[in-house]
Amino acid sequence: MTKDKITYQDSGVNIDAGNKLVELIKPEVKKTDRLGVMSNIGGFGGFFDLAKCNYKDPILVAATDGVGTKLKIAIETNNYDNIGQDLVAMCVNDLVVQGAEPLFFLDYYACGKLDNNIAAQIISSVARACKQSNCALIGGETAEMPGMYHNQDLDLAGFAVGAVERDKVLPYKEEINKNDIIIGISSSGIHANGFSLVRKIMEVRGLNYHDKVEFAPEYNYAELFLKPTELYVQLCLELHRKNLVKAFSHITGGGFTENIPRILPKDRGFLISENFKFNPLFSWLKQQANLSQAEMFKAFNCGYGMVAVIAEAELKQVCSIIEKHNYSYAMIGDII
């Protein structure tokens, strides 16, 4: 019986395309180099020399995350400009709330059929966000898996590692006292949590992502929803270095309700201000989904992607530094 040759490419995997992608992204990746980087992209693993970073007694902190179903909107609207920043931000923001400086990042990109134009857009966005966070992109993995993913489907995950001096690990739970202030630091929008609910709202209300936003007609819904997650690294590190904060909380899945308690001692709670106001985007989401205020606080960041717990005496200096980093803010609650 004559047997025809079956190649890897016949199965839907193009090794040459993967190699071409590595060459395409090398210049962007190189821009993320920082003190401690030892290897070039393309090896089996990324090397990092922690001794070069001048820590005295460091602890390593690791975080991993993805983009969630926000990625579905990017795929459906063919808008990949900033989705890589979401990936980086979801990881490095989790590091800085521990007081850790992000050191390096690795990405995982999986798809059914590799499109180098799309992949290069996404990984370039990852690299830009790493550069802004002074976090080296030292490696990654591109997996082409026909049968696992269909059509334009793809998925992203990221892994970040940072370091913090042993005596500077946040939160300082033992220092958190009654009447400390909770400062909310502005988000760019929904960030990368709650999008299964957002997509359901769009479906049930019969809205299209290309429709103009009723409360912000300068945007369509895709443009508004795809605003990238803020990178709070430089702001949080400065506040931490100056010993102005007792704790940070990155407001991701679970909103205020799930994330703020993670930084508090067992005998402390928090109270959101009675005067708390949702911005137009979150007011619209609340109205469209007919959610209570409590449900909003559990589902979304509600306009504040990072919160800081501070003593009242530090308020003026903290606000000045937040403004310097071009964020808006509000005193959204108190420790009780």
Side-chain angles (χ1 to χ4, degrees):
M1 184 175 70
T2 302
K3 292 185 179 179
D4 295 328
K5 181 171 72 172
I6 303 173
T7 67
Y8 210 175
Q9 190 160 345
D10 291 332
S11 73
V13 178
N14 190 333
I15 294 173
D16 291 336
N19 292 334
K20 185 178 179 182
L21 175 63
V22 171
E23 294 304 314
L24 277 173
I25 63 176
K26 271 186 177 179
E28 291 299 316
V29 172
K30 182 65 179 173
K31 293 176 186 176
T32 72
D33 278 2
R34 54 154 292 154
L35 200 64
V37 172
M38 296 178 63
S39 63
N40 294 316
I41 189 170
F44 287 96
F47 287 85
F48 192 92
D49 186 353
L50 187 59
K52 297 285 187 184
C53 297
N54 300 315
Y55 285 97
K56 296 175 183 176
D57 186 17
I59 293 175
L60 293 180
V61 185
T64 182
D65 212 332
V67 176
T69 56
K70 183 174 187 175
L71 191 54
K72 291 286 287 182
I73 299 175
I75 294 167
E76 289 173 29
T77 60
N78 195 34
N79 184 341
Y80 302 97
D81 290 346
N82 295 305
I83 205 76
Q85 178 170 324
D86 286 293
L87 181 63
V88 175
M90 294 302 289
C91 295
V92 297
N93 289 342
D94 278 354
L95 296 183
V96 292
V97 299
Q98 311 290 314
E101 172 196 13
L103 299 175
F104 57 85
F105 188 85
L106 297 96
D107 67 274
Y108 175 78
Y109 179 105
C111 59
K113 182 174 177 55
L114 184 61
D115 182 320
N116 275 349
N117 289 328
I118 292 173
Q121 283 181 66
I122 292 173
I123 298 171
S124 292
S125 174
V126 168
R128 289 195 304 272
C130 284
K131 179 69 175 174
Q132 286 179 254
S133 305
N134 194 29
C135 180
L137 180 56
I138 65 169
E141 170 70 7
T142 303
E144 194 173 24
M145 296 188 285
M148 183 71 75
Y149 299 92
H150 301 281
N151 302 320
Q152 293 294 103
D153 283 350
L154 58 94
D155 201 7
L156 297 172
F159 312 86
V161 173
V164 57
E165 296 287 6
R166 190 178 300 270
D167 61 350
K168 294 293 184 182
V169 175
L170 289 175
Y172 298 149
K173 288 189 177 184
E174 69 283 356
E175 297 182 14
I176 295 175
N177 297 311
K178 180 182 174 183
N179 297 325
D180 282 344
I181 296 171
I182 302 173
I183 297 283
I185 303 166
S186 60
S187 65
S188 60
I190 303 170
H191 283 182
N193 292 102
F195 272 94
S196 294
L197 176 53
V198 171
R199 291 170 56 246
K200 190 66 176 179
I201 289 169
M202 296 295 285
E203 176 191 335
V204 171
R205 302 305 178 199
L207 297 169
N208 187 288
Y209 291 117
H210 297 290
D211 293 342
K212 293 296 182 184
V213 177
E214 62 180 89
F215 57 88
E218 66 272 25
Y219 296 106
N220 64 37
Y221 285 103
E223 291 167 340
L224 189 66
F225 294 160
L226 290 174
K227 284 188 174 184
T229 304
E230 295 282 5
L231 295 158
Y232 296 106
V233 172
Q234 301 304 334
L235 166 62
C236 291
L237 288 179
E238 181 174 351
L239 290 170
H240 185 38
R241 281 195 300 267
K242 293 179 176 176
N243 294 311
L244 294 171
V245 295
K246 299 181 179 185
F248 291 114
S249 181
H250 183 202
I251 307 302
T252 56
F256 292 166
T257 307
E258 300 293 333
N259 288 293
I260 296 178
R262 295 163 69 180
I263 63 173
L264 301 179
K266 290 182 179 180
D267 61 345
R268 296 286 183 264
F270 71 100
L271 187 65
I272 298 298
S273 170
E274 292 181 359
N275 299 320
F276 186 96
K277 291 183 179 178
F278 296 104
N279 67 27
L281 169 58
F282 291 98
S283 292
W284 180 85
L285 290 168
K286 185 176 185 296
Q287 179 187 38
Q288 292 298 318
N290 195 25
L291 296 180
S292 67
Q293 186 154 305
E295 288 170 317
M296 287 293 293
F297 286 149
K298 193 170 185 177
F300 297 111
N301 68 54
C302 298
Y304 302 97
M306 182 70 70
V307 302
V309 176
I310 66 168
E312 188 174 1
E314 311 292 1
L315 179 61
K316 185 175 180 180
Q317 191 175 356
V318 168
C319 292
S320 176
I321 292 171
I322 294 173
E323 289 172 357
K324 184 184 77 173
H325 285 267
N326 297 315
Y327 292 104
S328 57
Y329 61 89
M331 288 168 279
I332 62 171
D334 300 285
I335 300 299
I336 57 174

